[in-house]
Each structure stands twice: as C-alpha cells, then as structure tokens.
Amino acid sequence: MQVTQQEWGILILRIGLAALFLWFGFSQLIDGLSWVSWVPEWAVNLLHIPPAMIVLLNGAFEVVAGSLLALNIWTRWAALALGLHLLILVIEIGLNEIGLRDFAIMMATFALVFLDENRAAVSGFNPH
Amino acid sequence: MSIEEPQTSNGVTKTTSFIIGAVLIIGIGGLVFWQKQEAKEELTQQAAQNAQNQEPTAQEGSYTLADISGHKDRSSCWSTINGGVYDLTSWIPKHPGGEQAILQLCGTDGSAKFNRQHGGAALQAQVLTGFKVGTLAQ
C-alpha cells in the first residue's frame, strides 16, 4: 500500500474536520442545554420547535455528517452539507474572532468538496 | 512517503479508512462524554461549596441596573438574575457551557437568558447563589 503525499494531506484534513464536527455534535447531544443560547431567534421562528430540540437535531446532523467524513463515506456530500451549515453559522455569528475561525473551517470543509475523488482518496458524489 | 502521481486505486484503502474513522468516532464520543461528566462533577462540587457559604456577606447590598451596567466585562462581570445581583467574574472561565454564555450577561439583566437556559434547574440555581452580592433595587 503506497500512500502518497496528497493522500496524507487529504487524510489529515478529513480526519481533522471529522474530529471537530464529531466533538461539537456529541457535545450538543450529551449536554444540549449548554448550547441553547446559541440558537438564533429566526431558527426558532422558522422551524417552530423548541431551541433545545434544534440543538439536538443540529448535534445529530453534525455527528452523522462528521461520521461520514471520518469513515470516508459520501465524503464530498457530507463536506458540502457541513460547509453550507457552516456558511449559515458564519453569517449568523458575523465578523468577529469566532466567525473568522468558522469561516476558515468552512473553507477547509468546502475544499474537500472540490477534490478529485479518483486522485485524492475521498469518496464522492458517485460512490462505488 | 512518495511524491509520485497518485494512482486511481488509492493507497488509503476503504478498510483502513473505516478503521481510522471508527476509532475516531468512538474516541471523540468517549472524550466528550468524559469531559461532560467532569464538568458536571465540578458543578456539583461548586454547588455544595456554595451551599456551605449561604451566609450573606458583609458587602451584600442593593444595586440598581445602572450600578450593574458598570460591571460589563470579564474584568468585573455582574448580572442581575431574577431579582438577585451576582458577581460572575470568577465563574467566566469555569462555566461548563463556555465563557461566552456568561460574558453575554455581564452588565445586564440576565434573567431571561438564565431562565431560558437553566430555568427550574436546582443545581445551576445553587451554583448561582454562591456569587450573590446583593439584590436589585426596585
């Protein structure tokens, strides 16, 4: 088994991002109340469900998508969903240190979407 | 590590990816669970400590919203919650939900945010009593 430099790079990027989303996802599932204050008013008005439930759903989404990244299953789809999810967070948080950090994570996540699955060891839009 | 052009059959096999991924998922899940348990234990200890120090302090007094608004950052963070006035400065770095949750209360009436987050939770209410410095002047 010959792992190329490119594959190492993508593996590290994918695993790093997966770890991040898994940590935040599990954290929201295990201790949802600590995250309720982050739920914006518009999300509650839009979804018509309690903020605590939104946290749980968000946590479940991040765990599932993070797991797909970790397991390299539908990686590019998962990265696309997580990138769009982060885009909403970045817009919501605004231009501060947390928003800028999330912007960088979002860009890294979108980078996975645009990888050539035949050359970069990521599973993609055409799983085989 | 090679710099040669990668081949279509990837070096990182599906099995290897799956094993790495599974270890990561279980590891992160376990780590988060352990961290939350630790935080909960710390919260319980803080609550017990606060229960022992229920006596009002000599400094306890009556404060207006204007007084509280002067303590609006991490160097001195006061908030009024449900009629009580609390000095939350020392709690900022210890709060299990992160610093931001406390910082947003500094210098304000934090009742709505506290109640939305912890309303009816005895443990959090007990922790809060340890930071009481007075009551809100009517």
Side-chain angles (χ1 to χ4, degrees):
Chain A
M1 183 173 76
Q2 180 85 23
V3 183
T4 66
Q5 274 188 314
Q6 186 176 351
E7 286 173 342
W8 275 116
I10 302 307
L11 180 70
I12 291 166
L13 178 65
R14 183 169 59 75
I15 293 299
L17 287 171
L20 175 102
F21 288 113
L22 284 169
W23 193 93
F24 280 101
F26 277 125
S27 189
Q28 288 166 74
L29 289 180
I30 292 171
D31 184 22
L33 282 180
S34 293
W35 295 89
V36 169
S37 63
W38 287 93
V39 177
E41 287 289 331
W42 63 261
V44 178
N45 295 332
L46 183 75
L47 299 169
H48 297 292
I49 49 176
M53 186 59 73
I54 294 175
V55 170
L56 287 179
L57 290 172
N58 191 68
F61 163 72
E62 290 187 10
V63 166
V64 170
S67 297
L68 291 175
L69 281 191
L71 297 168
N72 198 18
I73 298 170
W74 298 321
T75 304
R76 298 174 70 197
W77 280 114
L80 180 64
L82 288 166
L84 292 173
H85 173 60
L86 277 172
L87 178 63
I88 296 168
L89 293 184
V90 167
I91 293 169
E92 174 63 29
I93 293 168
L95 198 62
N96 55 37
E97 63 268 35
I98 298 172
L100 191 63
R101 181 199 61 189
D102 285 355
F103 174 77
I105 298 168
M106 179 192 76
M107 296 300 274
T109 309
F110 276 134
L112 279 180
V113 181
F114 291 99
L115 290 171
D116 181 347
E117 61 203 67
N118 290 323
R119 294 161 63 90
V122 289
S123 68
F125 298 122
N126 301 306
H128 36 263
Chain B
M1 192 181 294
S2 164
I3 54 168
E4 71 195 29
E5 198 67 6
Q7 297 168 1
T8 308
S9 56
N10 298 319
V12 183
T13 64
K14 282 193 172 184
T15 311
T16 313
S17 275
F18 188 83
I19 292 169
I20 293 171
V23 169
L24 190 73
I25 294 164
I26 294 165
I28 299 276
L31 182 69
V32 173
F33 183 76
W34 174 76
Q35 276 187 332
K36 294 295 172 190
Q37 287 298 110
E38 289 281 301
K40 197 176 173 186
E41 224 166 83
E42 198 176 320
L43 202 63
T44 310
Q45 282 173 0
Q46 183 78 48
Q49 197 180 328
N50 290 348
Q52 287 175 344
N53 305 327
Q54 281 288 332
E55 301 296 317
T57 64
Q59 295 169 332
E60 192 164 312
S62 182
Y63 301 95
T64 64
L65 259 178
D67 295 329
I68 295 160
S69 66
H71 303 268
K72 57 182 181 184
D73 53 38
R74 65 166 62 239
S75 63
S76 181
C77 174
W78 286 24
S79 182
T80 175
I81 295 167
N82 301 330
V85 177
Y86 303 90
D87 180 357
L88 301 172
T89 313
S90 64
W91 188 236
I92 293 170
K94 296 179 184 173
H95 184 248
E99 294 189 344
Q100 197 57 38
I102 301 299
L103 286 170
Q104 65 181 341
L105 305 180
C106 301
T108 68
D109 183 341
S111 305
K113 283 176 179 163
F114 179 84
N115 294 335
R116 193 167 67 141
Q117 187 86 351
H118 300 306
L123 188 62
Q124 280 79 1
Q126 188 66 59
V127 170
L128 192 61
T129 57
F131 302 108
K132 192 170 184 183
V133 290
T135 53
L136 184 65
Q138 297 300 314

